[in-house]
Amino acid sequence: MSAFTTDGAFSGFSVDDIDAARTFYAGTLGLDVETNAMGFLEIRLASGGGILVYAKPNHEPASFTILNFPVDDIDAAVDDLRQRGVETKIYPDDLFASDERGIVRGEGRGPDIAWFRDPAGNVLAVMQA
């Protein structure tokens, strides 16, 4: 019998402003966000998983994608995000060649994907599922 189990495992990441994060994740993206007893945010996903978001005074944005959202229609998802004021073209074309909305087409080498940032500068993505 092992004391280490994966039941209840969750991911987390830092931000520099917990109120701005709450506004973005709950208001802009429409996710289910609660504030726990410690003042951290808990993002509840429809799949049953959860993500902890905590303020960190010396926060530095992650240099990698911290959260991916699979979508059925990348074009519609990007249009929706842009209507909500989210910028989806965050990388220059010499790094990731993309269309004017920031969608990188996988063309059989991977999924179509578009990245965007939260208010703390962390990178998120929508990707064609």
Side-chain angles (χ1 to χ4, degrees), residues 23-47:
T23 298
F24 180 76
Y25 286 100
T28 303
L29 297 185
L31 299 176
D32 180 9
V33 178
E34 296 179 10
T35 304
N36 71 17
M38 295 175 31
F40 299 158
L41 301 182
E42 293 182 10
I43 299 174
R44 296 285 168 215
L45 303 174
S47 64

Side-chain angles (χ1 to χ4, degrees), residues 1-128:
M1 188 78 70
S2 174
F4 173 80
T5 67
T6 59
D7 293 347
F10 61 92
S11 181
F13 59 87
S14 72
V15 296
D16 55 357
D17 183 334
I18 204 77
D19 293 326
R22 182 182 306 103
T23 298
F24 180 76
Y25 286 100
T28 303
L29 297 185
L31 299 176
D32 180 9
V33 178
E34 296 179 10
T35 304
N36 71 17
M38 295 175 31
F40 299 158
L41 301 182
E42 293 182 10
I43 299 174
R44 296 285 168 215
L45 303 174
S47 64
I51 303 163
L52 184 70
V53 181
Y54 56 94
K56 184 177 173 200
N58 60 346
H59 165 77
E60 291 187 26
S63 61
F64 52 88
T65 307
I66 62 164
L67 187 55
N68 293 285
F69 296 96
V71 297
D72 292 330
D73 183 338
I74 187 112
D75 293 286
V78 166
D79 289 346
D80 185 23
L81 285 169
R82 291 172 64 91
Q83 287 175 357
R84 296 172 190 228
V86 176
E87 177 57 48
T88 55
K89 187 165 179 69
I90 65 170
Y91 293 118
D93 283 336
D94 61 336
L95 187 57
F96 292 108
S98 64
D99 64 20
E100 68 281 352
R101 296 177 305 156
I103 300 173
V104 175
R105 304 293 174 174
E107 299 176 350
R109 296 182 313 271
D112 293 350
I113 188 167
W115 290 277
F116 58 101
R117 296 185 188 278
D118 73 2
N122 294 312
V123 178
L124 301 93
V126 289
M127 58 183 6
Q128 185 84 29

